[in-house]
C-alpha cells in the first residue's frame, strides 16, 4: 500500500501539501521519540507529497518511482520507513473519519 497523494487544493498545491503535512507531523511526534528520525520522516513525507502532486505516472508505481527519484537525498531504507509511517498515518485517519450513512 502507498501513502495517499495530495488531492487538488483550491488554494494551490503548496497549501495542499502543508495542510496534509501539519497533522501528520503532530501525529508523528506521538509515535517516534527520536527528533532526528521525525525530521527525516517529515522531510521524506513532504518530498513524497510534492512529488505525487506533480507526478503524472501510474499511481500504483508512484511510491517505487519516488524511492528511486529520492535516493540521492535519503537511503532507500529510510525513505521506505518514512513512507510506511505515512501509510500508517493514512490508515489511522481513514479509521477516524466520520461515517456518512
Amino acid at each position: 500500500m502507498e501513502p495517499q497523494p495530495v488531492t487538488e487544493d483550491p488554494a494551490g498545491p503548496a497549501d495542499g501539501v502543508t495542510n496534509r503535512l501539519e497533522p501528520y507531523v503532530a501525529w508523528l511526534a506521538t509515535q517516534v521519540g527520536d527528533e532526528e528520525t521525525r525530521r527525516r520522516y517529515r522531510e521524506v513525507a513532504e518530498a513524497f507529497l510534492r512529488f505525487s502532486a506533480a507526478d503524472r505516472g501510474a499511481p500504483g508505481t508512484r511510491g517505487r518511482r519516488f524511492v528511486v527519484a529520492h535516493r540521492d537525498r535519503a537511503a532507500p531504507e529510510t525513505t521506505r520507513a518514512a513512507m510506511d509511517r505515512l501509510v500508517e498515518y493514512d490508515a489511522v485517519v481513514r479509521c477516524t473519519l466520520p461515517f456518512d450513512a
Side-chain angles (χ1 to χ4, degrees), residues 11-43:
D15 289 335
V17 169
T18 301
N19 292 338
R20 173 83 186 285
L21 200 56
E22 287 174 346
Y24 168 70
V25 170
W27 173 84
L28 191 60
T30 68
Q31 304 298 308
V32 178
D34 180 58
E35 184 176 341
E36 181 67 23
T37 301
R38 283 195 312 265
R39 183 186 61 75
R40 271 190 252 118
Y41 285 8
R42 182 205 46 84
E43 289 171 351

Side-chain angles (χ1 to χ4, degrees), residues 52-94:
S52 68
D55 182 61
R56 299 297 173 238
T61 60
R62 183 174 288 135
R64 286 185 299 241
R65 288 193 318 276
F66 172 73
V67 170
V68 170
H70 197 253
R71 71 180 178 269
D72 62 329
R73 296 176 63 194
E77 301 79 27
T78 301
T79 301
R80 284 189 206 97
M83 291 178 65
D84 287 347
R85 283 297 182 154
L86 189 56
V87 167
E88 182 181 351
Y89 169 75
D90 285 345
V92 169
V93 168
R94 279 192 305 277

